[in-house]
Amino acid sequence: MVYRMWAVVLLLVGLVTGCGAGSAVYDFGVVVHGEAGKTADVRLTPGRRFSLAVDENPATGDGWRMAALPDVKVASFISEEYRAGGGTGGVRYFVFNAKYPGTTTVTLYACRHCAGGATPTQPPSGPGTGEAIFRITVA
């Protein structure tokens, strides 16, 4: 009976402190770096955590956004994280779990003046803008 009670307590603690979207993640899993104008191929097995990483400098107004969520049967979104670097700027991580076999695409777009959650009123264009595409295959 005591073991059952502790199991329930641990389950509740896990639910309260879990890693839902927007919470801090400390395990980025397999990190795949991308950049504007490039396509990166990502191959994973089911159950693997992975992160799509792009360099970002919010001080200059640079920011990255995900165009749309990928197919949730293939990759489930966990959170978006930013880690400052040693100098100017840092890295933005989009963290996922690989789910079931299949292929999906994640498109991240870079834009100036959209850091800090601002949404540009026009599609990104000009210097410091573009798309980083990640083709994700779970097998």
Side-chain angles (χ1 to χ4, degrees), residues 40-54:
D41 287 313
V42 184
R43 296 191 62 79
L44 303 151
T45 56
R48 292 294 308 261
R49 178 170 289 192
F50 67 99
S51 297
L52 309 178
V54 285

Side-chain angles (χ1 to χ4, degrees), residues 100-120:
Y100 299 102
T103 301
T104 190
T105 301
V106 173
T107 301
L108 304 179
Y109 66 89
C111 62
R112 297 191 58 72
H113 309 297
C114 67
T119 302

